[in-house]
């Protein structure tokens, strides 16, 4: 292993209370909202075929048109309390909200640029309203912050000249100042979700990213920052030159979910996911397939079964309203969570052999394993194979705790649980009460 000055400063998971809370969230919400929401992926009747929040980078989008659009940003229907109540009803336990995306527009009245909500017709501090409303509903708030800032003239993709370096020094100070004001003005914030850190300029600033992360954590003890923030002194991101994760959790699962537990390398992690195939900001047209509630519930179960959290993105319209599809998904997912959240909240990876019917989760610190069943075979026989030295005492539907299901012992430590083979409209949960033994 190499001796690194600016690699990971901890091997293994954080063991403090704040991180234990994060680990148990299970389900979260992402919200992408900003100037890009005004366009919804469209300009003059033509549709941008990329992610709508990247429309400023579209060759058909004159930068002047985009950069003056904030003068139309005036979300008359924005109601942070309604957003927070929709999220509460859905059963999310944390929200990640865009304070500033790649375009550089700040949804808080930053002192360090004029390109902020304070100079829009709306004027009011959106970040404050979101932080206050979600915190009031008991939902923890994390602030998304894009380091890459297309609006700031000192931003550089690479550092090739002395001028580049001089400009980027100014940019690094600007970034530190903005992060300081976010943490000081919104102290309820539990963590920062960084993005736009993939360019050479940032990869060449490993020492700075290390110092800045330590500064932010001193300013805000317990702060949670994922692996997308740092670079080590060799420009490695996420994991340092010794292969050790830099950050409090693995933050690479964007629109993808690990297949096996081995894929997460024993780290904490979350998956952030769009409802359409791609696109985080509001899109007038959802291109291609978009996920049903049952697909979203399956992704949630899959993530929790592998020790992670699932974070679903919503892209409100410029006026502050959500698409009907998003409202429906939040309601339907929430109705399922109301009945079944015991199998999602404060649950972890069981280590039991994965079966085709669905996913196992395990309540942290309890002798309870949950089967979240998505695929009942035509036989109606659900095979289970508990981990070594684990016996199943009894099995019952989460919704019918008093009625034990029949457990038929098989060879090799396996058993069948027999259920009806038809009539399921949505996933259901079976509780296995376990004890040690062979
Ligand atoms: C959380 C998501 N990260 C951002 C991105 C990206 C990206 C950048 C380069 C190549 C592919 C995807 C998206 O705009 C959204 O904010």
């Amino acid at each position: 292993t190499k001796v690194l000055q600016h690699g990971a400063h901890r091997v293994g998971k954080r063991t403090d209370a704040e991180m234990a809370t994060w680990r148990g969230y299970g389900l979260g919400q992402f919200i992408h909202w900003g100037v890009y929401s005004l366009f919804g992926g469209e300009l003059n009747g033509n549709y941008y075929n990329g992610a709508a929040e990247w429309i400023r980078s579209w060759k058909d989008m004159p930068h002047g048109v985009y950069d003056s659009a904030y003068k139309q940003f005036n979300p008359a229907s924005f109601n942070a309390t309604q957003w927070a109540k929709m999220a509460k009803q859905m059963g999310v336990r944390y929200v990640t909200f865009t304070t500033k995306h790649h375009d550089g527009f700040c949804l808080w009245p930053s002192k360090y640029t004029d390109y902020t909500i304070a100079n829009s017709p709306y004027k009011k501090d959106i970040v404050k309203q979101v932080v206050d409303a979600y915190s009031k509903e008991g939902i923890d708030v994390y602030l998304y912050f894009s380091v890459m800032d297309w609006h700031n003239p000192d931003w550089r993709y690479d550092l090739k000249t002395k001028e580049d370096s001089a400009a980027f020094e100014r940019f690094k100070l600007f970034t530190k100042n903005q992060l300081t004001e976010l943490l000081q003005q919104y102290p309820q914030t539990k963590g920062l979700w960084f993005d736009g850190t993939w360019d050479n300029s940032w990869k060449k600033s490993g020492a700075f990213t290390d110092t800045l992360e330590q500064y932010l954590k001193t300013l805000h003890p317990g702060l949670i920052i994922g692996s997308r923030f740092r670079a080590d002194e060799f420009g490695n991101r996420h994991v340092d030159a010794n292969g050790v994760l830099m950050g409090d959790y693995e933050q690479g699962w964007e629109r993808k979910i690990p297949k096996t537990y081995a894929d997460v390398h024993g780290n904490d992690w979350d998956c952030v996911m769009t409802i359409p195939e791609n696109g985080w900001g509001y899109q007038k047209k959802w291109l291609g397939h978009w996920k049903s509630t049952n697909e979203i519930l399956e992704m949630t179960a899959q993530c929790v079964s592998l020790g992670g959290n699932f974070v679903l993105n919503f892209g409100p319209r410029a006026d502050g309203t959500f698409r009907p599809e998003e409202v429906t998904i939040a309601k339907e997912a929430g109705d399922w969570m109301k009945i079944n959240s015991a199998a999602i909240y404060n649950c972890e990876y069981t280590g039991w052999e994965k079966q085709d019917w669905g996913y196992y989760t395990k309540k942290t610190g309890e002798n309870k394993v949950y089967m979240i069943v998505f695929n009942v075979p035509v036989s109606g026989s659900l095979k289970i194979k508990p981990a070594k030295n684990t016996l199943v005492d009894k099995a019952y539907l989460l919704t019918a705790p008093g009625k034990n299901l029949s457990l038929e012992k098989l060879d090799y430590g396996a058993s069948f649980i027999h259920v009806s083979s038809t009539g399921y409209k949505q996933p259901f949960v079976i509780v296995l009460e376990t004890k040690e033994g062979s």
Side-chain angles (χ1 to χ4, degrees), residues 30 32 36 51 53-54 98 101-102 144 148 193 195-196 198 228 254-255 272 278-281 313:
F30 218 135
H32 278 72
Y36 42 81
E53 70 285 354
W54 275 67
T98 47
H101 204 260
H102 311 329
Y144 168 106
M148 177 172 70
W193 204 97
D195 207 4
W198 44 75
R228 201 176 282 201
E254 179 172 318
R255 294 194 301 129
V272 292
N278 191 11
W280 302 78
N313 181 69

Side-chain angles (χ1 to χ4, degrees), residues 102-396:
H102 311 329
D103 62 0
F105 184 68
C106 302
L107 292 180
W108 83 99
S110 174
K111 294 199 299 287
Y112 301 99
T113 172
D114 294 337
Y115 194 44
T116 83
I117 194 74
N119 298 317
S120 75
Y122 183 74
K123 297 191 188 324
K124 290 174 288 189
D125 184 342
I126 285 180
V127 172
K128 176 162 177 49
Q129 293 178 72
V130 168
V131 170
D132 289 349
Y134 275 80
S135 301
K136 193 169 169 213
E137 289 298 326
I139 299 171
D140 285 347
V141 180
Y142 291 71
L143 299 180
Y144 168 106
F145 182 90
S146 175
V147 169
M148 177 172 70
D149 181 328
W150 294 327
H151 190 82
N152 187 310
D154 288 331
W155 165 255
R156 291 290 183 282
Y157 289 97
D158 201 350
L159 306 177
K160 291 204 161 42
T161 66
K162 276 209 177 70
E163 196 282 329
D164 285 341
S165 297
F168 208 63
E169 282 310 305
R170 292 191 295 270
F171 185 81
K172 292 188 305 191
L173 178 59
F174 162 76
T175 299
K176 177 180 178 182
N177 287 337
Q178 285 205 316
L179 292 170
T180 301
E181 69 179 349
L182 283 171
L183 292 181
Q184 289 179 333
Q185 285 170 15
Y186 315 110
Q188 308 97 312
T189 302
K190 303 291 183 205
L192 297 171
W193 204 97
F194 286 100
D195 207 4
T197 55
W198 44 75
D199 289 305
N200 283 341
S201 53
W202 195 251
K203 287 159 78 173
K204 289 176 178 174
S205 305
F208 170 77
T209 68
D210 185 13
T211 308
L212 180 55
E213 183 175 84
Q214 293 186 50
Y215 161 78
L216 293 171
K217 291 196 168 189
T218 305
L219 186 65
H220 200 303
L223 192 70
I224 293 174
I225 297 177
S227 63
R228 201 176 282 201
F229 183 59
R230 292 270 314 281
D232 72 5
E233 54 258 56
F234 297 102
N236 296 297
R237 293 180 59 240
H238 294 284
V239 292
D240 68 16
N242 294 321
V244 183
L245 189 76
M246 291 181 284
D248 299 323
Y249 63 96
E250 214 281 288
Q251 203 185 343
W253 301 102
E254 179 172 318
R255 294 194 301 129
K256 54 182 187 258
I257 297 178
K259 291 263 172 309
T260 68
Y261 191 65
D263 295 331
V264 303
H265 309 294
N267 295 318
D268 281 314
W269 61 280
D270 69 3
C271 159
V272 292
M273 185 61 75
T274 50
I275 298 174
E277 285 178 83
N278 191 11
W280 302 78
Y282 172 62
Q283 298 185 149
K284 288 175 185 167
K285 272 187 185 172
W286 273 357
L287 312 173
H289 175 75
W290 49 275
K291 299 165 187 74
S292 67
T293 302
N294 279 338
E295 281 177 277
I296 286 159
L297 292 174
E298 179 151 9
M299 290 180 169
T300 304
Q302 189 176 355
C303 288
V304 175
S305 76
L306 292 175
N309 295 323
F310 181 71
V311 182
L312 187 67
N313 181 69
F314 289 71
R317 298 189 186 96
D319 69 359
T321 60
F322 289 100
R323 301 173 67 106
E325 298 89 344
E326 291 175 319
V327 174
T328 302
I329 283 168
K331 174 75 172 64
E332 291 175 344
D335 289 346
W336 188 86
M337 286 294 283
K338 259 189 201 63
I339 297 165
N340 300 287
S341 63
I344 300 295
Y345 295 154
N346 303 315
C347 283
E348 61 188 38
Y349 170 64
T350 61
W352 294 22
E353 184 185 295
K354 172 87 174 62
Q355 305 293 334
D356 292 342
W357 44 258
Y359 307 89
Y360 290 116
T361 63
K362 175 178 177 300
K363 187 63 82 187
T364 303
E366 288 182 23
N367 294 325
K368 261 185 191 159
V369 164
Y370 298 101
M371 298 166 60
I372 310 177
V373 183
F374 288 86
N375 316 301
V376 175
V378 285
S379 64
S381 305
L382 306 177
K383 179 175 278 188
I384 62 170
K385 196 158 187 294
K388 250 179 153 25
N389 304 324
T390 303
L391 291 175
V392 174
D393 225 2
K394 56 181 171 177
Y396 49 86

